[in-house]
Amino acid sequence: MAKKQKEFRPKARVPRGFRDRLGEELIAEKAMLERITDVYASYGFDPLETPAFEYTDALGKFLPDVDRPNQGVFSLQDDDEQWMSLRYDLTAPLARFVAENFDGLAKPFRRYAVGRVWRNEKPGPGRFREFTQCDADSVGAPAPHADTEIAMMFADAVEAAGVPRGDYVIRISDRKLMNGLLDVAGLSGEEQAEQRLVTLRAMDKLDRLGEEGVRQLLGEGRKDESGDFTDGAKLSGDQADIVMAFMAATKGSNEETVSALKDIIGASEAGQAGIADMASMAETLSALGYDEKRVLLDMSIVRGLEYYTGPVFEADLTFEVADEKGRPVRFGSVGGGGRYDDLVKRFKGQEVPAVGCSVGVSRLLSALQAREGAMPKATGPVIVTVFDKARMADYQLMAAELRSAGIRAEVYLGGSNFGKQMKYADKRDAPVAIIQGEDERANGEIQLKDLVLGAKLSKEIEDNKAWREDQPAQFSVPREKLVEAVREVLARH
RNA sequence: GCCGGCUUAGCUCAGUUGGUUAGAGCGCUUGAUUGUGGAUCAAGAGGUCCCUGGUUCGAACCCAGGAGCUGGUACCA
C-alpha cells in the first residue's frame, strides 16, 4: 500500500430490520414493562433472566444446515465448532432452563421474563428483527386451571400496559379442538400431514382474507393482489364445509360456542377433550368476571404450529388507528401464548406440562402511540447556563443542589455563547434555565427563566426588541432560593 | 422466498422527452442582537441525483444486474 488510497468511510447506517430508539419511547416502554411485570409478580411469578445465546439444538427446530445456517434465526459457530443461536423467543430458553435445573425447582415453576429476541426474517411495518417480549409461564401445572389463570393474567397484563377494557380481546382456541376437527374432516391420516398444515394456516387467515379467501385456500388455492398464487389444501367441498362450520361455531357467547362445537366435533375423542377444557376455562373465567368482552373463544385462532398442545391464546387490539398517511393500520395480535406440554420433554424425556403467555411490548407500544398521537414530550433537565467558564464550580454547585433536591439538572458544557445556550435548553425541552452573569452575581441573585411559559407567550410575539427587553417569563431570586424557586416554576406546569 | 412500486440535500419532494453551473420548502450554520430560545429579515453550508456495469460524442435521466426502502403475499417458533 505505497500509494495513498482514498480513505475508507463506512456508511453510517443501522442494519435492516433493526433500529435505534431513544428518549420518550424508551421511557414509555420501561414504564409499560414495569406495569406488566408488576401484574405477573402479583400473581406470584418470579423473574428469570437467561442469555441471548443458546446452543442451537436447545432452541429447537432450526438446526443450521450447511446451506442455510441462518434460516429464521441468527446463528454462529463457537470456536469449539458448536452452533449457537440468538434466541427467537423466551419460551425455548425457559424449557432449557427448567430441564437443566429440574430437581431444584419448586413445581409448578412460575417465572416471568423480559428480554430481547431476534428473528432473521423479512422485516415489515411494525415488524423488526429485534424486539422485546415480556412473558410469564407456569411449568408443571396441567390444564385447564393453569391455562385459565394465564388467560386471566394475560388480560390483566394487557390492561396494565395501557389498553382500556373493551379495546382488546383475548381470543382462545385449543389445539385439541383442531385435532378433533381434522379427525372429523377425515384429515388425520399419515399421508395428510401436509394438508393438515395448509388447512390450519388457512384458518388462521380468516380475519384477514375473509370467508371467501379462506375457502379458496382450503380448495385449490388463491391468487393475491400482486398476482402471486398460493397453493391450497385441496380439500373436497364437504371437508371445506366442515372446516368453515367449525370456525362459524365461534359465537358471541362462550357457552354457545361450546355447545356448537359439540355438534361439529363431539364425535372425535380429541375434540371431546378439547371441548371439556374450553368449557371449564370459560366457566371459571366467567365466574371470575372475565366475560366475552375480555376473553372470547374463537375457533379461527391457530398460532404457531410446532409446539402447542392444548389451549392457545392471542391478544388482539380491537380499535382502529391510522398511520401518518391516514391509511388504516391493522395491529392485530400484540401477544400470544398457549400450552406446550412437550417442550421440556425434548430434554428430559419426561412429560412436563407448561403454559404461558407473551406480550409483544414494542408492538403494543407503537399501537398505543399511533392511536394517541405523539407521546407527550418528556420534560428535559433544568439547564444551568454558563457565563464565565472560570466560575464553573459555582454553576456545578447550583446543578448539584437541584439534583439533591430530586430535580434533573445539568450545566451547559458546550462551547457556545449565551444565545446558543438558550437554543440548547429549548431543544432539550428544559422547563427552566438558570442564569447568573456578573450583575446577578454582584447582587447575590440568579435569574430563572420559565421556558414553558416563555414558549406560550412567544406565540404572540411581534416585536423582538420589546420581547427581549421585557423578558416576561424571567425573574430574579436570591441565590439561596434556587431550589425553592425552581420547584415553584416546575409546579406551574 | 415470490409479485409490484420506489430510491435526487438532514427531512418532504420538484425536475431533466439524454446536453454545460441540479432546485424548492422545512431544518441546519452565521449575522442583524459583545448577556437571553421560540417571531422577522439577510447571508451561508450541505448532493458520488442508491451501487456496479453497458449503450452513447455525452448518462442523474436509457438498458442490465445488485442493494436498500415500501406495499401485497408466503413463512413465522
Side-chain angles (χ1 to χ4, degrees):
Chain A
M1 295 281 166
K3 276 229 161 173
K4 193 177 177 190
Q5 299 243 323
K6 193 175 169 186
E7 193 181 344
F8 170 68
R9 287 188 194 278
K11 194 167 180 186
R13 56 191 186 145
V14 72
R16 199 163 79 92
F18 291 80
R19 65 204 178 112
D20 298 317
R21 304 159 66 224
L22 64 159
E24 290 112 49
E25 185 181 344
L26 282 182
I27 291 166
E29 182 178 293
K30 197 177 156 202
M32 180 183 279
L33 282 170
E34 200 173 306
R35 294 195 303 269
I36 295 170
T37 53
D38 279 352
V39 169
Y40 293 161
S42 77
Y43 274 79
F45 288 68
D46 284 327
L48 171 71
E49 183 178 283
T50 61
F53 274 103
E54 294 281 347
Y55 285 118
T56 303
D57 57 3
L59 229 35
K61 67 177 190 177
F62 285 101
L63 290 173
D65 58 52
V66 189
D67 299 331
R68 322 176 75 175
N70 282 310
Q71 174 69 351
V73 297
F74 293 97
S75 301
L76 57 84
Q77 226 169 348
D78 204 356
D79 55 13
D80 61 3
E81 310 247 304
Q82 298 198 70
W83 279 98
M84 305 194 298
S85 298
L86 282 172
R87 63 187 178 201
Y88 52 76
D89 69 10
L90 299 175
T91 309
L94 169 67
R96 186 227 88 216
F97 173 84
V98 169
E100 196 172 344
N101 300 282
F102 195 77
D103 296 338
L105 297 173
K107 265 82 65 180
F109 175 60
R110 295 153 73 81
R111 75 88 242 237
Y112 69 84
V114 173
R116 297 202 212 194
V117 302
W118 294 267
R119 295 185 185 184
N120 190 4
E121 56 191 32
K122 179 189 162 185
R127 298 190 60 164
F128 300 95
R129 297 206 287 175
E130 175 182 54
F131 54 96
T132 302
Q133 286 193 332
C134 183
D135 288 26
D137 296 80
S138 268
V139 182
H145 300 299
D147 311 65
T148 307
E149 179 191 63
I150 292 282
M152 180 166 75
M153 182 171 72
F154 197 19
D156 287 359
V158 171
E159 277 182 35
V163 185
R165 198 166 297 180
D167 280 353
Y168 72 94
V169 61
I170 309 293
R171 299 181 200 278
I172 302 185
S173 182
D174 192 303
R175 195 42 50 81
K176 291 199 288 283
L177 294 174
M178 276 167 247
N179 292 338
L181 166 68
L182 295 168
D183 266 355
V184 170
L187 288 166
S188 44
E190 275 292 314
E191 68 289 349
Q192 285 150 319
E194 180 63 23
Q195 270 188 305
R196 283 200 293 273
L197 269 180
V198 177
T199 300
L200 291 175
R201 283 175 193 153
M203 290 169 63
D204 201 27
K205 291 170 185 135
L206 180 64
D207 60 329
R208 203 150 43 84
L209 302 182
E211 266 186 51
E212 196 44 45
V214 173
R215 251 187 195 283
Q216 287 169 2
L217 285 173
L218 290 175
E220 286 307 306
R222 173 178 178 272
K223 189 184 266 195
D224 69 50
E225 294 152 45
S226 68
D228 198 24
F229 187 77
T230 309
D231 242 357
K234 311 232 187 320
L235 302 190
S236 71
D238 287 350
Q239 289 176 314
D241 285 344
I242 295 173
V243 173
M244 297 310 289
F246 175 78
M247 289 194 290
T250 304
K251 310 290 186 195
S253 117
N254 291 339
E255 208 176 315
E256 287 174 44
T257 302
V258 168
S259 110
L261 284 171
K262 282 180 189 158
D263 294 339
I264 300 166
I265 57 168
S268 148
E269 206 175 301
Q272 277 175 22
I275 290 169
D277 279 358
M278 288 295 95
S280 159
M281 284 183 70
E283 194 184 325
T284 310
L285 285 167
S286 152
L288 289 165
Y290 290 75
D291 62 15
E292 286 82 353
K293 288 200 179 62
R294 286 201 266 176
V295 182
L296 183 70
L297 299 185
D298 184 331
M299 296 307 113
S300 69
I301 297 301
V302 178
R303 302 290 302 168
L305 302 169
E306 287 305 319
Y307 64 51
Y308 290 121
T309 57
V312 288
F313 323 122
E314 191 166 295
D316 280 351
L317 300 181
T318 54
F319 57 85
E320 275 235 328
V321 293
D323 67 8
E324 59 273 14
K325 286 174 184 157
R327 292 173 303 203
V329 182
R330 133 172 284 134
F331 271 99
S333 166
V334 292
R339 172 160 290 275
Y340 48 96
D341 286 347
D342 294 337
L343 250 175
V344 178
K345 192 177 178 185
R346 289 186 51 237
F347 299 98
K348 300 278 300 173
Q350 166 186 353
E351 186 157 300
V352 180
V355 60
C357 65
S358 173
V359 178
V361 179
S362 322
R363 217 173 150 68
L364 183 47
L365 195 65
S366 60
L368 290 174
Q369 242 174 287
R371 182 172 67 161
E372 279 147 27
M375 265 178 290
K377 283 222 163 186
T379 304
V382 171
I383 303 290
V384 179
T385 58
V386 172
F387 263 98
D388 181 357
K389 288 216 170 96
R391 291 180 34 233
M392 202 50 109
D394 292 348
Y395 298 124
Q396 288 288 12
L397 188 61
M398 294 180 205
E401 280 175 28
L402 289 168
R403 284 177 207 132
S404 48
I407 299 165
R408 292 182 74 201
E410 90 179 52
V411 176
Y412 179 82
L413 295 176
S416 302
N417 64 29
F418 188 61
K420 298 287 155 55
Q421 299 191 30
M422 291 308 301
K423 274 195 177 194
Y424 173 80
D426 194 36
K427 199 158 219 170
R428 289 293 310 274
D429 298 307
V432 177
I434 308 295
I435 303 161
Q436 190 189 47
E438 287 314 306
D439 302 347
E440 290 86 359
R441 181 172 155 78
N443 297 334
E445 290 182 337
I446 50 172
Q447 299 255 4
L448 254 72
K449 195 177 180 83
D450 180 341
L451 294 169
V452 180
L453 177 63
K456 226 176 276 168
L457 294 174
S458 74
K459 298 244 161 64
E460 287 114 54
I461 185 171
E462 266 164 42
D463 178 15
N464 185 254
K465 196 157 199 175
W467 168 257
R468 287 189 170 210
E469 279 162 11
D470 289 355
Q471 284 305 338
Q474 188 170 323
F475 59 95
S476 283
V477 296
R479 166 66 182 84
E480 60 274 15
K481 296 275 171 98
L482 167 69
V483 169
E484 197 179 315
V486 169
R487 273 208 179 111
E488 207 169 289
V489 174
L490 290 177
R492 288 179 193 168
H493 305 294

